[in-house]
Amino acid sequence: MTSESLRFEHETLAQRVRFAAGGATEALAEEVRRLGGERVMAIVTSRERTAPVLAALPVAVLHTDVVRHVPVEVAERARAVAAEHDADVLVCVGGGSTTGLAKAVALTTGLPIVAVPTTYAGSEATDVWGLTEGGRKTTGVDPRVLPRAIVYDAGLMLGLPVATSVASGLNALAHCVDSMWGPRSDPVDRALALEGIRALRTGLPRIETDPQGIGGREQTLYGAYLAAVAFASAGSGLHHKICHVLGGRFDLPHAETHAVVLPHVLALNAPAVPDLDARMAQAFAADSSLAGLRRLRGRVGAPRSLAELGLAEHDLSAAVAPILEAAPESNPVPVTAEVVETLLRHAWEGTEPDA
Ligand code: NAD
């Protein structure tokens, strides 16, 4: 993993991607037309925010029953609505929860999705679906859930509060970092992830200082897209396994959990892979990747502790065994119970690791 061997297999997922600041309505209508859509099921969380975006579409049904982490019963209700209205294209406008529900419908119906993301979660660029049942989150990979097209319109992000933008942008950054050592990480993934780090490192502080500026939003969207493409190919590394366990078991907010856990995983792994650390440091324009992440987190006011996200101290121990079970073999350092316990404790307390 540490030297760039050029013997690898990489699959590029087939998807149309449009960056169209201020032009989502027309771009979305064109993408739906390309798919021959005449009866669109639009999945959204906010009617007001999304009405102008849907204005040029043949909407058969507007579905707003979206719940985070996609509970199975919510997915079943959405599938029934799609069947009842004889939908032929799914359009989702919203964050990862909204995209996730469209994927759950596509998984069983095969309906094509056009995604219009309004956070930096990146689900729109992956073929990964997730469903939650009885406090347990199940994920899987299926080509049917990969949106056929994505329309990115930075103008739709202006209402995303700065704190949510920061957490979501750091979630995207976590995709980049985990893609450096994920189980299927290859040189193409790492090239995308490094450019993603650079774009997020420049975009996020601009959102902080000018939340209504298109430039910072657009850079961050670009970084988030690259991050998700890299991540879809590289697969979940230790960071994502930890967040997956925490999110599924304790219903913690997705993006904020990623934002808190990331420095702890980076501090654990980066010293064991000095050449990857050096490349990430360059992308962060810092002396080390951790120093770069620390500086960025300080500039944007990142969330710090799992305690502040509502995780009870006594829940920490329950997370250790499932994390150990899920930890990928590819992780740069061996993952023991002690390693996980210490990492979780520091993340819970919000002890910022030394750069
Ligand atoms: P989310 O979709 O729940 O959105 C967070 C909040 O932001 C919600 O309250 C939403 O209504 C609000 N919001 C969204 N866009 C807004 C806007 N433009 N303006 C104002 N408010 C806005 O959270 P998320 O972090 O985007 O996504 C998290 C979910 O996505 C998790 O379930 C996670 O597992 C999933 N996910 C999946 C993948 C994948 O590849 N399958 C990748 C990343 C995330």
Side-chain angles (χ1 to χ4, degrees), residues 240-260:
H240 278 79
K241 296 298 184 188
I242 292 173
C243 294
H244 181 92
V245 168
L246 295 175
R249 288 197 167 228
F250 308 116
D251 196 29
L252 297 183
H254 177 86
E256 287 78 1
T257 305
H258 279 266
V260 167

Side-chain angles (χ1 to χ4, degrees), residues 44-46 49-50 66-70 93-100 103 116-132 137 139-140 145 153-161 164-165 167-169 171-172 175 217 228 231-232 240 243-244 252-256 258:
V44 306
T45 41
S46 156
R49 204 167 51 232
T50 54
V66 177
V67 179
R68 73 180 184 190
H69 299 310
V70 199
V93 188
S97 301
T98 312
T99 313
K103 286 177 161 185
V116 186
T118 62
T119 69
Y120 307 108
S123 175
E124 65 281 359
T126 83
D127 54 2
V128 180
W129 55 265
L131 287 166
T132 305
K137 192 162 180 183
T139 58
V145 309
D153 180 345
L156 303 177
M157 318 293 298
L158 302 181
L160 192 67
T164 316
S165 302
S168 189
N171 180 191
H175 288 144
R217 299 279 181 183
F231 176 67
H240 278 79
C243 294
H244 181 92
L252 297 183
H254 177 86
E256 287 78 1
H258 279 266

Side-chain angles (χ1 to χ4, degrees), residues 255-271:
E256 287 78 1
T257 305
H258 279 266
V260 167
V261 170
L262 182 60
H264 301 281
V265 176
L266 190 62
L268 174 71
N269 281 345

Side-chain angles (χ1 to χ4, degrees), residues 222-305:
Y222 169 61
Y225 165 69
L226 296 174
V229 174
F231 176 67
S233 170
S236 291
L238 179 64
H239 172 87
H240 278 79
K241 296 298 184 188
I242 292 173
C243 294
H244 181 92
V245 168
L246 295 175
R249 288 197 167 228
F250 308 116
D251 196 29
L252 297 183
H254 177 86
E256 287 78 1
T257 305
H258 279 266
V260 167
V261 170
L262 182 60
H264 301 281
V265 176
L266 190 62
L268 174 71
N269 281 345
V273 279
D275 57 343
L276 297 185
D277 184 30
R279 293 178 71 191
M280 286 190 281
Q282 197 179 17
F284 273 114
D287 291 338
S288 72
S289 57
L290 194 56
L293 179 61
R294 271 191 79 140
R295 187 179 59 199
L296 177 63
R297 286 171 53 79
R299 280 186 71 178
V300 299
R304 288 196 172 259
S305 74

Side-chain angles (χ1 to χ4, degrees), residues 10-316:
H10 176 88
E11 188 173 337
T12 299
L13 301 178
Q15 183 176 55
R16 285 176 53 77
V17 181
R18 297 175 72 142
F19 273 75
T25 309
E26 299 73 29
L28 177 59
E30 273 172 35
E31 294 306 318
V32 167
R33 258 197 310 277
R34 284 175 75 98
L35 292 165
E38 291 176 347
R39 300 188 55 77
V40 167
M41 175 170 172
I43 302 177
V44 306
T45 41
S46 156
R47 284 170 193 267
E48 307 83 68
R49 204 167 51 232
T50 54
V53 182
L54 304 174
L57 294 184
V59 176
V61 56
L62 186 67
H63 189 75
T64 56
D65 177 16
V66 177
V67 179
R68 73 180 184 190
H69 299 310
V70 199
V72 168
E73 58 279 12
V74 173
E76 307 252 292
R77 286 203 292 270
R79 289 164 182 163
V81 168
E84 188 190 329
H85 292 269
D86 197 19
D88 55 10
V89 171
L90 303 168
V91 165
C92 50
V93 188
S97 301
T98 312
T99 313
L101 184 59
K103 286 177 161 185
V105 176
L107 182 65
T108 54
T109 61
L111 288 174
I113 302 173
V114 182
V116 186
T118 62
T119 69
Y120 307 108
S123 175
E124 65 281 359
T126 83
D127 54 2
V128 180
W129 55 265
L131 287 166
T132 305
E133 189 165 23
R136 219 185 131 84
K137 192 162 180 183
T138 311
T139 58
V141 173
D142 195 301
R144 283 176 298 184
V145 309
L146 179 75
R148 300 284 185 88
I150 309 173
V151 175
Y152 286 112
D153 180 345
L156 303 177
M157 318 293 298
L158 302 181
L160 192 67
V162 170
T164 316
S165 302
V166 164
S168 189
L170 292 172
N171 180 191
L173 192 62
H175 288 144
C176 296
V177 170
D178 238 12
S179 296
M180 301 302 286
W181 44 58
R184 299 184 305 276
S185 176
D186 65 42
V188 178
D189 304 335
R190 296 198 276 273
L192 294 168
L194 290 165
E195 170 65 355
I197 291 174
R198 190 205 57 75
L200 292 166
R201 181 257 299 167
T202 53
L204 271 176
R206 288 172 70 187
I207 294 179
E208 230 279 316
T209 50
D210 180 17
Q212 295 305 308
I214 289 287
R217 299 279 181 183
E218 211 164 35
Q219 271 296 308
T220 307
L221 264 181
Y222 169 61
Y225 165 69
L226 296 174
V229 174
F231 176 67
S233 170
S236 291
L238 179 64
H239 172 87
H240 278 79
K241 296 298 184 188
I242 292 173
C243 294
H244 181 92
V245 168
L246 295 175
R249 288 197 167 228
F250 308 116
D251 196 29
L252 297 183
H254 177 86
E256 287 78 1
T257 305
H258 279 266
V260 167
V261 170
L262 182 60
H264 301 281
V265 176
L266 190 62
L268 174 71
N269 281 345
V273 279
D275 57 343
L276 297 185
D277 184 30
R279 293 178 71 191
M280 286 190 281
Q282 197 179 17
F284 273 114
D287 291 338
S288 72
S289 57
L290 194 56
L293 179 61
R294 271 191 79 140
R295 187 179 59 199
L296 177 63
R297 286 171 53 79
R299 280 186 71 178
V300 299
R304 288 196 172 259
S305 74
L306 294 175
E308 83 193 34
L309 300 186
L311 185 69
E313 188 172 6
H314 60 80
D315 282 334
L316 288 177

